[in-house]
mmCIF file of all heavy atoms in Angstrom:
data_model
loop_
_atom_site.group_PDB
_atom_site.id
_atom_site.type_symbol
_atom_site.label_atom_id
_atom_site.label_comp_id
_atom_site.label_asym_id
_atom_site.label_seq_id
_atom_site.Cartn_x
_atom_site.Cartn_y
_atom_site.Cartn_z
ATOM 1 N N MET A 14 5.662 9.675 10.125
ATOM 2 C CA MET A 14 4.805 10.693 9.498
ATOM 3 C C MET A 14 3.459 10.080 9.142
ATOM 4 O O MET A 14 3.388 9.013 8.566
ATOM 5 C CB MET A 14 5.508 11.212 8.235
ATOM 6 C CG MET A 14 4.747 12.345 7.578
ATOM 7 S SD MET A 14 5.734 13.095 6.271
ATOM 8 C CE MET A 14 5.084 12.249 4.854
ATOM 9 N N ILE A 15 2.398 10.777 9.519
ATOM 10 C CA ILE A 15 1.055 10.274 9.228
ATOM 11 C C ILE A 15 0.500 11.005 8.006
ATOM 12 O O ILE A 15 0.481 12.231 7.953
ATOM 13 C CB ILE A 15 0.117 10.448 10.443
ATOM 14 C CG1 ILE A 15 0.620 9.544 11.584
ATOM 15 C CG2 ILE A 15 -1.325 10.113 10.073
ATOM 16 C CD1 ILE A 15 -0.118 9.746 12.895
ATOM 17 N N ILE A 16 0.117 10.236 7.023
ATOM 18 C CA ILE A 16 -0.471 10.796 5.809
ATOM 19 C C ILE A 16 -1.943 10.414 5.789
ATOM 20 O O ILE A 16 -2.274 9.240 5.881
ATOM 21 C CB ILE A 16 0.211 10.230 4.545
ATOM 22 C CG1 ILE A 16 1.729 10.415 4.607
ATOM 23 C CG2 ILE A 16 -0.370 10.877 3.278
ATOM 24 C CD1 ILE A 16 2.482 9.615 3.550
ATOM 25 N N LYS A 17 -2.802 11.417 5.689
ATOM 26 C CA LYS A 17 -4.222 11.113 5.553
ATOM 27 C C LYS A 17 -4.654 11.381 4.130
ATOM 28 O O LYS A 17 -4.168 12.316 3.493
ATOM 29 C CB LYS A 17 -5.049 11.965 6.517
ATOM 30 C CG LYS A 17 -4.903 11.474 7.944
ATOM 31 C CD LYS A 17 -5.950 12.105 8.834
ATOM 32 C CE LYS A 17 -5.828 11.544 10.248
ATOM 33 N NZ LYS A 17 -6.826 12.133 11.133
ATOM 34 N N GLY A 18 -5.545 10.555 3.646
ATOM 35 C CA GLY A 18 -5.997 10.732 2.274
ATOM 36 C C GLY A 18 -6.994 9.661 1.905
ATOM 37 O O GLY A 18 -7.632 9.069 2.773
ATOM 38 N N ILE A 19 -7.073 9.413 0.616
ATOM 39 C CA ILE A 19 -8.002 8.407 0.102
ATOM 40 C C ILE A 19 -7.181 7.308 -0.580
ATOM 41 O O ILE A 19 -6.293 7.583 -1.375
ATOM 42 C CB ILE A 19 -9.012 9.066 -0.870
ATOM 43 C CG1 ILE A 19 -9.927 10.006 -0.068
ATOM 44 C CG2 ILE A 19 -9.823 8.017 -1.619
ATOM 45 C CD1 ILE A 19 -10.904 10.787 -0.903
ATOM 46 N N CYS A 20 -7.486 6.100 -0.214
ATOM 47 C CA CYS A 20 -6.771 4.949 -0.763
ATOM 48 C C CYS A 20 -6.916 4.892 -2.280
ATOM 49 O O CYS A 20 -8.027 4.998 -2.802
ATOM 50 C CB CYS A 20 -7.324 3.682 -0.129
ATOM 51 S SG CYS A 20 -6.599 2.186 -0.807
ATOM 52 N N GLN A 21 -5.800 4.736 -2.962
ATOM 53 C CA GLN A 21 -5.845 4.698 -4.428
ATOM 54 C C GLN A 21 -6.197 3.314 -4.961
ATOM 55 O O GLN A 21 -6.298 3.122 -6.169
ATOM 56 C CB GLN A 21 -4.510 5.191 -4.994
ATOM 57 C CG GLN A 21 -4.337 6.678 -4.696
ATOM 58 C CD GLN A 21 -3.046 7.253 -5.259
ATOM 59 O OE1 GLN A 21 -2.443 6.705 -6.167
ATOM 60 N NE2 GLN A 21 -2.618 8.375 -4.717
ATOM 61 N N ILE A 22 -6.386 2.370 -4.083
ATOM 62 C CA ILE A 22 -6.839 1.046 -4.527
ATOM 63 C C ILE A 22 -8.324 0.862 -4.237
ATOM 64 O O ILE A 22 -9.101 0.598 -5.137
ATOM 65 C CB ILE A 22 -5.995 -0.059 -3.867
ATOM 66 C CG1 ILE A 22 -4.550 0.026 -4.384
ATOM 67 C CG2 ILE A 22 -6.595 -1.443 -4.176
ATOM 68 C CD1 ILE A 22 -3.611 -0.976 -3.764
ATOM 69 N N CYS A 23 -8.733 1.031 -2.984
ATOM 70 C CA CYS A 23 -10.134 0.748 -2.640
ATOM 71 C C CYS A 23 -10.976 2.006 -2.453
ATOM 72 O O CYS A 23 -12.188 1.918 -2.351
ATOM 73 C CB CYS A 23 -10.196 -0.139 -1.399
ATOM 74 S SG CYS A 23 -9.738 0.709 0.124
ATOM 75 N N GLY A 24 -10.333 3.184 -2.383
ATOM 76 C CA GLY A 24 -11.079 4.431 -2.286
ATOM 77 C C GLY A 24 -11.527 4.816 -0.888
ATOM 78 O O GLY A 24 -12.269 5.776 -0.717
ATOM 79 N N LYS A 25 -11.062 4.074 0.112
ATOM 80 C CA LYS A 25 -11.454 4.355 1.489
ATOM 81 C C LYS A 25 -10.626 5.511 2.054
ATOM 82 O O LYS A 25 -9.419 5.544 1.844
ATOM 83 C CB LYS A 25 -11.184 3.089 2.319
ATOM 84 C CG LYS A 25 -12.220 2.819 3.365
ATOM 85 C CD LYS A 25 -12.114 1.399 3.914
ATOM 86 C CE LYS A 25 -10.765 1.035 4.523
ATOM 87 N NZ LYS A 25 -10.820 -0.282 5.202
ATOM 88 N N PRO A 26 -11.245 6.461 2.764
ATOM 89 C CA PRO A 26 -10.467 7.520 3.402
ATOM 90 C C PRO A 26 -9.855 7.035 4.710
ATOM 91 O O PRO A 26 -10.400 6.147 5.367
ATOM 92 C CB PRO A 26 -11.516 8.616 3.654
ATOM 93 C CG PRO A 26 -12.806 7.884 3.777
ATOM 94 C CD PRO A 26 -12.695 6.632 2.953
ATOM 95 N N GLY A 27 -8.727 7.633 5.090
ATOM 96 C CA GLY A 27 -8.095 7.256 6.353
ATOM 97 C C GLY A 27 -6.610 7.555 6.329
ATOM 98 O O GLY A 27 -6.152 8.407 5.570
ATOM 99 N N ILE A 28 -5.877 6.834 7.164
ATOM 100 C CA ILE A 28 -4.425 7.002 7.207
ATOM 101 C C ILE A 28 -3.796 6.162 6.097
ATOM 102 O O ILE A 28 -4.075 4.982 5.969
ATOM 103 C CB ILE A 28 -3.894 6.588 8.592
ATOM 104 C CG1 ILE A 28 -4.414 7.566 9.651
ATOM 105 C CG2 ILE A 28 -2.365 6.563 8.606
ATOM 106 C CD1 ILE A 28 -4.200 7.108 11.072
ATOM 107 N N MET A 29 -2.981 6.815 5.297
ATOM 108 C CA MET A 29 -2.412 6.172 4.125
ATOM 109 C C MET A 29 -0.958 5.791 4.335
ATOM 110 O O MET A 29 -0.240 6.368 5.147
ATOM 111 C CB MET A 29 -2.495 7.122 2.925
ATOM 112 C CG MET A 29 -3.905 7.515 2.549
ATOM 113 S SD MET A 29 -4.873 6.120 1.955
ATOM 114 C CE MET A 29 -6.221 6.151 3.134
ATOM 115 N N HIS A 30 -0.531 4.823 3.576
ATOM 116 C CA HIS A 30 0.865 4.390 3.549
ATOM 117 C C HIS A 30 1.311 4.511 2.102
ATOM 118 O O HIS A 30 0.536 4.237 1.197
ATOM 119 C CB HIS A 30 0.981 2.934 3.992
ATOM 120 C CG HIS A 30 0.307 2.651 5.289
ATOM 121 N ND1 HIS A 30 0.977 2.758 6.498
ATOM 122 C CD2 HIS A 30 -0.964 2.303 5.577
ATOM 123 C CE1 HIS A 30 0.119 2.469 7.469
ATOM 124 N NE2 HIS A 30 -1.055 2.190 6.943
ATOM 125 N N SER A 31 2.590 4.888 1.894
ATOM 126 C CA SER A 31 3.006 4.969 0.500
ATOM 127 C C SER A 31 3.813 3.745 0.112
ATOM 128 O O SER A 31 4.723 3.319 0.815
ATOM 129 C CB SER A 31 3.754 6.264 0.222
ATOM 130 O OG SER A 31 4.984 6.258 0.857
ATOM 131 N N CYS A 32 3.463 3.197 -1.019
ATOM 132 C CA CYS A 32 4.129 2.016 -1.550
ATOM 133 C C CYS A 32 5.532 2.399 -2.023
ATOM 134 O O CYS A 32 5.698 3.384 -2.738
ATOM 135 C CB CYS A 32 3.298 1.479 -2.705
ATOM 136 S SG CYS A 32 4.084 0.129 -3.579
ATOM 137 N N THR A 33 6.534 1.613 -1.636
ATOM 138 C CA THR A 33 7.905 1.932 -2.047
ATOM 139 C C THR A 33 8.152 1.595 -3.512
ATOM 140 O O THR A 33 9.127 2.053 -4.094
ATOM 141 C CB THR A 33 8.922 1.161 -1.181
ATOM 142 O OG1 THR A 33 8.634 -0.224 -1.256
ATOM 143 C CG2 THR A 33 8.849 1.616 0.266
ATOM 144 N N MET A 34 7.279 0.792 -4.098
ATOM 145 C CA MET A 34 7.469 0.402 -5.494
ATOM 146 C C MET A 34 6.799 1.379 -6.455
ATOM 147 O O MET A 34 7.419 1.898 -7.368
ATOM 148 C CB MET A 34 6.920 -1.021 -5.675
ATOM 149 C CG MET A 34 7.281 -1.665 -6.974
ATOM 150 S SD MET A 34 9.047 -2.038 -7.125
ATOM 151 C CE MET A 34 9.181 -3.399 -5.964
ATOM 152 N N CYS A 35 5.518 1.642 -6.265
ATOM 153 C CA CYS A 35 4.784 2.465 -7.231
ATOM 154 C C CYS A 35 4.453 3.859 -6.690
ATOM 155 O O CYS A 35 4.013 4.712 -7.439
ATOM 156 C CB CYS A 35 3.509 1.748 -7.659
ATOM 157 S SG CYS A 35 2.292 1.592 -6.351
ATOM 158 N N GLY A 36 4.635 4.072 -5.380
ATOM 159 C CA GLY A 36 4.361 5.381 -4.811
ATOM 160 C C GLY A 36 2.898 5.667 -4.537
ATOM 161 O O GLY A 36 2.550 6.758 -4.096
ATOM 162 N N ARG A 37 2.015 4.704 -4.818
ATOM 163 C CA ARG A 37 0.592 4.865 -4.495
ATOM 164 C C ARG A 37 0.390 5.076 -3.003
ATOM 165 O O ARG A 37 1.104 4.492 -2.204
ATOM 166 C CB ARG A 37 -0.130 3.554 -4.824
ATOM 167 C CG ARG A 37 -0.847 3.533 -6.129
ATOM 168 C CD ARG A 37 -1.694 2.268 -6.175
ATOM 169 N NE ARG A 37 -2.011 1.971 -7.555
ATOM 170 C CZ ARG A 37 -1.308 1.127 -8.300
ATOM 171 N NH1 ARG A 37 -0.298 0.450 -7.821
ATOM 172 N NH2 ARG A 37 -1.630 0.940 -9.552
ATOM 173 N N LEU A 38 -0.612 5.880 -2.662
ATOM 174 C CA LEU A 38 -1.019 6.001 -1.268
ATOM 175 C C LEU A 38 -2.185 5.044 -1.046
ATOM 176 O O LEU A 38 -3.210 5.146 -1.710
ATOM 177 C CB LEU A 38 -1.426 7.434 -0.945
ATOM 178 C CG LEU A 38 -0.283 8.452 -0.966
ATOM 179 C CD1 LEU A 38 -0.836 9.845 -0.738
ATOM 180 C CD2 LEU A 38 0.764 8.138 0.085
ATOM 181 N N VAL A 39 -1.980 4.130 -0.137
ATOM 182 C CA VAL A 39 -3.007 3.114 0.092
ATOM 183 C C VAL A 39 -3.295 2.959 1.582
ATOM 184 O O VAL A 39 -2.446 3.254 2.423
ATOM 185 C CB VAL A 39 -2.588 1.753 -0.522
ATOM 186 C CG1 VAL A 39 -2.398 1.862 -2.026
ATOM 187 C CG2 VAL A 39 -1.329 1.202 0.128
ATOM 188 N N CYS A 40 -4.502 2.491 1.904
ATOM 189 C CA CYS A 40 -4.883 2.284 3.299
ATOM 190 C C CYS A 40 -4.208 1.041 3.862
ATOM 191 O O CYS A 40 -3.610 0.253 3.125
ATOM 192 C CB CYS A 40 -6.401 2.170 3.393
ATOM 193 S SG CYS A 40 -7.078 0.629 2.734
ATOM 194 N N SER A 41 -4.337 0.867 5.170
ATOM 195 C CA SER A 41 -3.659 -0.266 5.805
ATOM 196 C C SER A 41 -4.200 -1.610 5.313
ATOM 197 O O SER A 41 -3.480 -2.600 5.323
ATOM 198 C CB SER A 41 -3.757 -0.170 7.323
ATOM 199 O OG SER A 41 -5.083 0.045 7.706
ATOM 200 N N ASP A 42 -5.451 -1.634 4.855
ATOM 201 C CA ASP A 42 -6.005 -2.876 4.312
ATOM 202 C C ASP A 42 -5.335 -3.264 2.996
ATOM 203 O O ASP A 42 -5.293 -4.429 2.632
ATOM 204 C CB ASP A 42 -7.513 -2.721 4.030
ATOM 205 C CG ASP A 42 -8.324 -2.648 5.309
ATOM 206 O OD1 ASP A 42 -7.775 -2.950 6.389
ATOM 207 O OD2 ASP A 42 -9.503 -2.288 5.221
ATOM 208 N N CYS A 43 -4.870 -2.253 2.269
ATOM 209 C CA CYS A 43 -4.311 -2.485 0.937
ATOM 210 C C CYS A 43 -2.786 -2.412 0.955
ATOM 211 O O CYS A 43 -2.152 -2.338 -0.089
ATOM 212 C CB CYS A 43 -4.870 -1.467 -0.054
ATOM 213 S SG CYS A 43 -6.657 -1.521 -0.178
ATOM 214 N N TYR A 44 -2.202 -2.423 2.152
ATOM 215 C CA TYR A 44 -0.764 -2.215 2.285
ATOM 216 C C TYR A 44 -0.141 -3.403 3.007
ATOM 217 O O TYR A 44 -0.664 -3.885 4.012
ATOM 218 C CB TYR A 44 -0.538 -0.945 3.089
ATOM 219 C CG TYR A 44 0.910 -0.526 3.247
ATOM 220 C CD1 TYR A 44 1.622 -0.018 2.166
ATOM 221 C CD2 TYR A 44 1.545 -0.618 4.477
ATOM 222 C CE1 TYR A 44 2.934 0.380 2.314
ATOM 223 C CE2 TYR A 44 2.864 -0.212 4.632
ATOM 224 C CZ TYR A 44 3.561 0.286 3.544
ATOM 225 O OH TYR A 44 4.856 0.683 3.699
ATOM 226 N N ASP A 45 0.975 -3.864 2.481
ATOM 227 C CA ASP A 45 1.714 -4.938 3.121
ATOM 228 C C ASP A 45 2.897 -4.309 3.863
ATOM 229 O O ASP A 45 3.902 -3.959 3.256
ATOM 230 C CB ASP A 45 2.194 -5.917 2.033
ATOM 231 C CG ASP A 45 2.867 -7.146 2.632
ATOM 232 O OD1 ASP A 45 3.401 -7.055 3.749
ATOM 233 O OD2 ASP A 45 2.843 -8.193 1.960
ATOM 234 N N SER A 46 2.736 -4.110 5.161
ATOM 235 C CA SER A 46 3.757 -3.372 5.918
ATOM 236 C C SER A 46 5.064 -4.146 6.034
ATOM 237 O O SER A 46 6.123 -3.557 6.208
ATOM 238 C CB SER A 46 3.232 -3.013 7.306
ATOM 239 O OG SER A 46 2.821 -4.161 7.982
ATOM 240 N N LYS A 47 5.025 -5.459 5.905
ATOM 241 C CA LYS A 47 6.262 -6.245 5.965
ATOM 242 C C LYS A 47 7.168 -5.949 4.789
ATOM 243 O O LYS A 47 8.378 -5.902 4.890
ATOM 244 C CB LYS A 47 5.928 -7.741 5.998
ATOM 245 C CG LYS A 47 5.721 -8.251 7.407
ATOM 246 C CD LYS A 47 5.465 -9.742 7.427
ATOM 247 C CE LYS A 47 4.013 -10.027 7.097
ATOM 248 N NZ LYS A 47 3.686 -11.456 7.130
ATOM 249 N N ARG A 48 6.536 -5.755 3.629
ATOM 250 C CA ARG A 48 7.322 -5.495 2.418
ATOM 251 C C ARG A 48 7.357 -4.028 2.056
ATOM 252 O O ARG A 48 8.135 -3.619 1.210
ATOM 253 C CB ARG A 48 6.711 -6.259 1.248
ATOM 254 C CG ARG A 48 6.806 -7.753 1.401
ATOM 255 C CD ARG A 48 6.195 -8.372 0.171
ATOM 256 N NE ARG A 48 6.017 -9.796 0.355
ATOM 257 C CZ ARG A 48 4.964 -10.447 -0.135
ATOM 258 N NH1 ARG A 48 4.044 -9.819 -0.804
ATOM 259 N NH2 ARG A 48 4.867 -11.723 0.042
ATOM 260 N N GLY A 49 6.459 -3.208 2.632
ATOM 261 C CA GLY A 49 6.386 -1.802 2.276
ATOM 262 C C GLY A 49 5.761 -1.595 0.911
ATOM 263 O O GLY A 49 6.037 -0.606 0.233
ATOM 264 N N LEU A 50 4.904 -2.522 0.514
ATOM 265 C CA LEU A 50 4.293 -2.467 -0.814
ATOM 266 C C LEU A 50 2.777 -2.438 -0.712
ATOM 267 O O LEU A 50 2.201 -2.982 0.227
ATOM 268 C CB LEU A 50 4.678 -3.721 -1.617
ATOM 269 C CG LEU A 50 6.157 -3.942 -1.884
ATOM 270 C CD1 LEU A 50 6.351 -5.301 -2.548
ATOM 271 C CD2 LEU A 50 6.740 -2.848 -2.749
ATOM 272 N N CYS A 51 2.146 -1.838 -1.708
ATOM 273 C CA CYS A 51 0.698 -1.951 -1.792
ATOM 274 C C CYS A 51 0.347 -3.372 -2.226
ATOM 275 O O CYS A 51 1.211 -4.117 -2.693
ATOM 276 C CB CYS A 51 0.150 -0.932 -2.800
ATOM 277 S SG CYS A 51 0.583 -1.253 -4.513
ATOM 278 N N LYS A 52 -0.908 -3.744 -2.098
ATOM 279 C CA LYS A 52 -1.236 -5.143 -2.384
ATOM 280 C C LYS A 52 -1.103 -5.489 -3.863
ATOM 281 O O LYS A 52 -0.897 -6.638 -4.211
ATOM 282 C CB LYS A 52 -2.606 -5.516 -1.827
ATOM 283 C CG LYS A 52 -3.791 -4.888 -2.512
ATOM 284 C CD LYS A 52 -5.065 -5.428 -1.871
ATOM 285 C CE LYS A 52 -6.299 -4.866 -2.547
ATOM 286 N NZ LYS A 52 -7.524 -5.290 -1.846
ATOM 287 N N ILE A 53 -1.183 -4.477 -4.719
ATOM 288 C CA ILE A 53 -0.984 -4.734 -6.147
ATOM 289 C C ILE A 53 0.476 -5.106 -6.418
ATOM 290 O O ILE A 53 0.761 -6.102 -7.071
ATOM 291 C CB ILE A 53 -1.421 -3.505 -6.970
ATOM 292 C CG1 ILE A 53 -2.935 -3.363 -6.891
ATOM 293 C CG2 ILE A 53 -0.968 -3.645 -8.423
ATOM 294 C CD1 ILE A 53 -3.479 -2.112 -7.559
ATOM 295 N N CYS A 54 1.397 -4.299 -5.876
ATOM 296 C CA CYS A 54 2.816 -4.608 -6.039
ATOM 297 C C CYS A 54 3.192 -5.878 -5.300
ATOM 298 O O CYS A 54 3.988 -6.679 -5.794
ATOM 299 C CB CYS A 54 3.683 -3.455 -5.566
ATOM 300 S SG CYS A 54 3.476 -1.989 -6.580
ATOM 301 N N ALA A 55 2.639 -6.065 -4.110
ATOM 302 C CA ALA A 55 2.956 -7.256 -3.337
ATOM 303 C C ALA A 55 2.570 -8.519 -4.093
ATOM 304 O O ALA A 55 3.274 -9.523 -4.037
ATOM 305 C CB ALA A 55 2.256 -7.198 -1.978
ATOM 306 N N SER A 56 1.464 -8.460 -4.845
ATOM 307 C CA SER A 56 1.069 -9.637 -5.600
ATOM 308 C C SER A 56 1.909 -9.817 -6.857
ATOM 309 O O SER A 56 2.121 -10.922 -7.326
ATOM 310 C CB SER A 56 -0.416 -9.587 -5.945
ATOM 311 O OG SER A 56 -0.676 -8.548 -6.853
ATOM 312 N N LYS A 57 2.429 -8.705 -7.401
ATOM 313 C CA LYS A 57 3.310 -8.790 -8.571
ATOM 314 C C LYS A 57 4.686 -9.316 -8.209
ATOM 315 O O LYS A 57 5.345 -9.984 -8.976
ATOM 316 C CB LYS A 57 3.497 -7.396 -9.183
ATOM 317 C CG LYS A 57 2.432 -6.978 -10.144
ATOM 318 C CD LYS A 57 2.826 -5.646 -10.770
ATOM 319 C CE LYS A 57 1.599 -4.929 -11.311
ATOM 320 N NZ LYS A 57 1.883 -3.511 -11.566
ATOM 321 N N PHE A 58 5.143 -8.913 -7.017
ATOM 322 C CA PHE A 58 6.501 -9.250 -6.602
ATOM 323 C C PHE A 58 6.472 -10.190 -5.408
ATOM 324 O O PHE A 58 7.089 -9.940 -4.392
ATOM 325 C CB PHE A 58 7.280 -7.991 -6.267
ATOM 326 C CG PHE A 58 7.403 -7.046 -7.432
ATOM 327 C CD1 PHE A 58 6.529 -5.991 -7.571
ATOM 328 C CD2 PHE A 58 8.397 -7.232 -8.389
ATOM 329 C CE1 PHE A 58 6.624 -5.120 -8.649
ATOM 330 C CE2 PHE A 58 8.494 -6.362 -9.464
ATOM 331 C CZ PHE A 58 7.611 -5.310 -9.605
ATOM 332 N N THR A 59 5.730 -11.247 -5.541
ATOM 333 C CA THR A 59 5.640 -12.210 -4.449
ATOM 334 C C THR A 59 6.988 -12.881 -4.242
ATOM 335 O O THR A 59 7.566 -13.434 -5.158
ATOM 336 C CB THR A 59 4.553 -13.257 -4.760
ATOM 337 O OG1 THR A 59 3.335 -12.570 -4.975
ATOM 338 C CG2 THR A 59 4.374 -14.212 -3.609
ATOM 339 N N GLN A 60 7.466 -12.747 -3.029
ATOM 340 C CA GLN A 60 8.756 -13.327 -2.674
ATOM 341 C C GLN A 60 8.589 -14.203 -1.446
ATOM 342 O O GLN A 60 7.659 -14.048 -0.688
ATOM 343 C CB GLN A 60 9.762 -12.221 -2.376
ATOM 344 C CG GLN A 60 10.220 -11.511 -3.631
ATOM 345 C CD GLN A 60 10.884 -10.183 -3.300
ATOM 346 O OE1 GLN A 60 11.117 -9.861 -2.144
ATOM 347 N NE2 GLN A 60 11.162 -9.405 -4.321
ATOM 348 N N GLN A 61 9.531 -15.104 -1.270
ATOM 349 C CA GLN A 61 9.453 -16.001 -0.127
ATOM 350 C C GLN A 61 10.046 -15.362 1.102
ATOM 351 O O GLN A 61 10.941 -14.565 0.988
ATOM 352 C CB GLN A 61 10.193 -17.293 -0.440
ATOM 353 C CG GLN A 61 9.378 -18.129 -1.415
ATOM 354 C CD GLN A 61 10.248 -19.046 -2.240
ATOM 355 O OE1 GLN A 61 11.451 -19.128 -2.031
ATOM 356 N NE2 GLN A 61 9.671 -19.715 -3.206
HETATM 357 ZN ZN1 ZN B 6 -7.448 0.466 0.488
HETATM 358 ZN ZN1 ZN B 7 2.542 -0.402 -5.211
#
């Protein structure tokens, strides 16, 4: 499913991804697709 909107971290419009932790819609620059987390959550929950 493609979600278009405005990134809730950097404010850029485009295709959004939803963070599995906080539910924020964020752009691909602000999204860690390996973990399914936005970069804010990814930095909070850094795992090996
Ligand atoms: Zn962004
Ligand atoms: Zn998040």
Side-chain angles (χ1 to χ4, degrees):
M14 184 171 97
I15 294 173
I16 307 167
K17 286 193 177 180
I19 292 176
C20 176
Q21 292 181 21
I22 294 178
C23 71
K25 218 166 58 172
I28 294 168
M29 299 294 122
H30 308 270
S31 69
C32 174
T33 56
M34 191 68 71
C35 68
R37 261 190 200 95
L38 292 176
V39 299
C40 72
S41 50
D42 289 347
C43 301
Y44 184 71
D45 185 334
S46 56
K47 272 183 279 181
R48 294 181 191 143
L50 299 174
C51 68
K52 70 177 182 185
I53 291 175
C54 294
S56 67
K57 275 186 202 164
F58 300 96
T59 303
Q60 287 163 7
Q61 286 154 5

